[in-house]
Amino acid sequence: MHQFEISDLITVVEPGSGRRLPVRRAEVIERLLESGDERGARIVAALPADEDGVLDPHAVDRLLIGVHTELQRLSEELRIGERLVHVLGPLLTAIRSVGARSGPYRLVDVGCGLGYLVRWLAATNALGADVELVGVDLDASLVGEADRLARAEGLDCRFVHGNAFAMPEAATVYVSTGVLHHFRGPALAEFFQAQAASPAQAFCHFDIAATGLAPIGAWVFHRARMRHPLGRHDGVVSARRAHSDETLLRAAAAPGIRPLLYEPRGTANPFGTTLRPVIGVRPHLEAPLRLALGRAARRLVGPEHLAEAAR
Ligand SMILES: C[S@@+](CC[C@H](N)C(=O)[O-])C[C@H]1O[C@@H](n2cnc3c(N)ncnc32)[C@H](O)[C@@H]1O
C-alpha cells in the first residue's frame, strides 16, 4: 500500500510559480485513511484549520520548521557533512583535474530544507574557496529560515526559493540529502534526467539505504530524538519508502551520465549503513574520480556490479 509522509501532503505549491495553495484538512485525512494510515490521520486532525477547513498555513510552516530543526540532529549524528565531503572532495578534484570547467564551481543542494548541509560546508570551508554554495527549496518558509540562520552565523552561502532545476544559473554539482525517496514512480527518473540535461558535471544524492533494519533504526532514532508526532511518523515512513540500490542505479542512468553507487548493500555493515549516495558523473570523470578516491574507489560500483552480485 502507498505510504504518505504527512509533510508532503500539508504543503502544496504550484510547480511553476512556487505559489502556496490552500490545503483542505479533510482531504489530507481522507488520503491517509485510504492508505490505511489511521495514526497519520489523527496527527493531521489535530492541526489547526479555518472555518472552511483549510489548514492554517502559518501553523503548518511553524510546525515544519520545528520538525526540520529536530531533523538537523539526524544530519549531525550521521555526520552527513563529513560523508558528503568524503566523496565530493575527490569528485571536485576530478572536475578540477580535467579542466572541464574552470572555477568557481557551483554546488546546488536540491531541497535544502533548513540548509544544514550548505551551512555546515560554509562554516568548515571543507570544499575549498572556489566552490560557491547554494541551497534551493520549493518551500518558502524553510528556505527563509535557512537564510536567516546563515546570516546570523555570518556564513558565505546563499539560499533560493524555487525549483532547483529552473534556476537561471547552472550548477556544477547537484547534491541532496533525504530527498530521493520523495520522488515516486516516473518522477525519480525525471529528477535525474533534469540534471543530465543541464550543464552539470555530476550529482551526488544521499538517501536512506533500503536495508531491512532501516525502518527499525528510524523508529528508534525518531522516538528518542524527535518530539512532534509528525516528525516521528514521517521519519519511519521515509525509511520504509527508501529506494533500493537497483532502483536508484536504474533511474540515475540518464543520457550522458555514468551512474554509480557508493557503499551499496552487501559491501557495508548493515548496522552502519544509514545513508549512502547515488552518484552520477559525466563518463570522462569516472577514471579521475576513482584516482582521487584512492583505496575508497573499491566501494564505488556501477550497475554491472549489482547484476554480477545478483547472479
Ligand atoms: C525531506 S525535505 C529534506 C530537507 C533537507 N535536505 C534535510 O536533509 O533536512 C525535502 C525537501 O525537498 C524539497 N524539494 C523537492 N523537490 C525540489 C526541487 N525540484 N527543487 C527544490 N526543492 C525541492 C521540498 O520542498 C522539501 O522541503
Side-chain angles (χ1 to χ4, degrees), residues 244-256:
S244 69
D245 291 352
E246 292 78 7
T247 301
L248 287 179
L249 277 175
R250 215 177 304 122

Side-chain angles (χ1 to χ4, degrees), residues 5 68 71 75 109-114 136-139 142 162-165 176-179 181-183 191:
E5 282 173 63
H68 278 80
L71 201 59
S75 302
D109 183 6
V110 183
C112 63
L114 292 182
V136 187
D137 205 293
L138 288 168
D139 188 310
L142 290 179
N163 183 342
F165 306 118
S176 73
T177 55
V179 169
H181 65 272
H182 288 271
F183 294 99
F191 172 80

Side-chain angles (χ1 to χ4, degrees), residues 72 75 86 113 141 189 203 214 243 271 284 306 309:
Q72 281 195 162
S75 302
H86 177 69
S141 72
F203 55 73
H243 293 300
F271 291 95
H284 68 280
L306 295 189

Side-chain angles (χ1 to χ4, degrees), residues 88-89 92-93 95-97 101-107 125-133 156 172-173:
L88 211 62
L92 284 161
T93 301
I95 292 172
R96 289 182 187 109
S97 75
R101 240 191 117 270
S102 61
Y105 304 100
R106 183 174 297 122
L107 172 145
N125 194 22
L127 294 176
D130 61 346
V131 182
E132 186 195 347
L133 303 167
D156 188 12
T172 314
V173 183

Side-chain angles (χ1 to χ4, degrees), residues 167 237 275 292:
M167 288 189 4
V237 172
L275 283 103

